[in-house]
Amino acid sequence: MKFVIFLLLVTLFSCSKSDKITANKVVGIQIYDGFPKEKAKVIAQEIFKFYKIKTIVLSEIELPKRAYVTIKSPRYRADSLIAIQNRTIIDSLDFVLGVTDKDISITKHNKQGKIKEPKWKYNDFGVMGLAYCPGKSAIISSFRLKNKDKKLELTRLKKVAIHEFGHNLGLSHCLNKSCVMTSASEKISTIDNEKMQLCEKCKTQLKI
């Protein structure tokens, strides 16, 4: 696979606990058709800065057609996308984070495993991102993060990227509303109110 190298080399002088989490690991930022490369580079920089992990921006590819649905509106299934990425990840990568400007969705279930009510809403529910927890595959979408304030829009995107990749590293949703790992709870305001940082509990979980 051809890819554009965008290496952010992390200097590992001391072998601290946080270094051990991502030392010698590489995450590929997979651009899907139409997503701006400059934004992908910003996400790569943010992931590197936040988690101290080497990043590579991969060449743009098409979204897999088998992930496309029209259940409620034309969009792509996030669960299908991360599964496809998981199966096709190249040997030189440890993680892959897909980035798209297309709408993505999932099916939301209740504690009993049934589709949440009302089913018309949750059978194919639009989301901003999805990731395995833990795992090596995640996807984020800018579709639901749009705002006239482009700086705010980009900040939202960076927070979602940090959040979803945090899941790949094993972080679950946090009850601390200011932590970047808090659940959005279907509200964009939650993302705007959270800080671009981990709370002490999540830091401890990652041993940062």
Side-chain angles (χ1 to χ4, degrees):
M1 178 189 293
K2 292 183 178 179
F3 55 81
V4 178
I5 304 283
F6 184 76
L7 294 177
L8 300 172
L9 300 178
V10 55
T11 305
L12 301 169
F13 288 120
S14 61
C15 195
S16 66
K17 290 181 178 178
S18 59
D19 290 336
K20 291 178 183 178
I21 299 294
T22 54
N24 303 316
K25 303 290 186 180
V26 183
V27 54
I29 309 300
Q30 179 60 71
I31 301 174
Y32 286 111
D33 44 356
F35 191 88
K37 185 181 291 183
E38 289 306 310
K39 280 189 179 181
K41 289 181 179 180
V42 170
I43 291 169
Q45 289 174 326
E46 202 64 36
I47 293 293
F48 163 73
K49 182 170 66 176
F50 201 87
Y51 290 110
K52 303 298 184 291
I53 186 169
K54 186 187 297 184
T55 60
I56 298 176
V57 175
L58 305 172
S59 293
E60 180 179 319
I61 62 173
E62 292 183 355
L63 281 160
K65 291 181 180 179
R66 57 186 178 277
Y68 181 76
V69 294
T70 55
I71 297 172
K72 187 159 52 176
S73 60
R75 48 193 175 194
Y76 292 82
R77 291 287 299 193
D79 46 1
S80 295
L81 291 173
I82 62 172
I84 293 167
Q85 289 178 169
N86 201 55
R87 291 195 301 268
T88 58
I89 188 169
I90 58 179
D91 292 340
S92 59
L93 299 177
D94 298 282
F95 305 93
V96 60
L97 173 64
V99 290
T100 179
D101 58 3
K102 304 299 188 294
D103 198 12
I104 59 176
S105 63
I106 60 169
T107 298
K108 296 193 76 171
H109 297 88
N110 59 26
K111 293 180 180 179
Q112 289 73 43
K114 296 181 180 180
I115 299 174
K116 289 183 66 175
E117 296 290 348
K119 289 185 179 180
W120 64 263
K121 179 178 181 179
Y122 292 113
N123 185 45
D124 190 57
F125 184 75
V127 293
M128 294 159 279
L130 187 69
Y132 289 124
C133 182
K136 58 183 181 180
S137 178
I139 184 79
I140 63 170
S141 168
S142 62
F143 185 86
R144 295 176 179 274
L145 304 173
K146 295 174 183 177
N147 193 277
K148 292 180 180 179
D149 184 341
K150 296 306 174 185
K151 184 177 179 180
L152 173 61
E153 186 177 314
L154 187 59
T155 297
R156 289 173 174 175
L157 188 64
K158 289 191 286 187
K159 286 179 178 179
V160 173
I162 290 169
H163 178 104
E164 298 304 338
F165 188 66
H167 283 320
N168 277 176
L169 295 179
L171 291 175
S172 56
H173 282 148
C174 181
L175 295 177
N176 188 327
K177 296 301 181 183
S178 64
C179 178
V180 76
M181 291 307 300
T182 191
S183 173
S185 299
E186 304 175 17
K187 295 179 180 178
I188 195 71
S189 59
T190 305
I191 296 174
D192 291 339
N193 292 331
E194 71 188 22
K195 296 179 181 178
M196 206 175 316
Q197 64 183 38
L198 296 173
C199 66
E200 291 304 315
K201 181 180 178 181
C202 289
K203 285 181 181 179
T204 300
Q205 188 175 337
L206 273 187
K207 297 184 174 61
I208 293 179

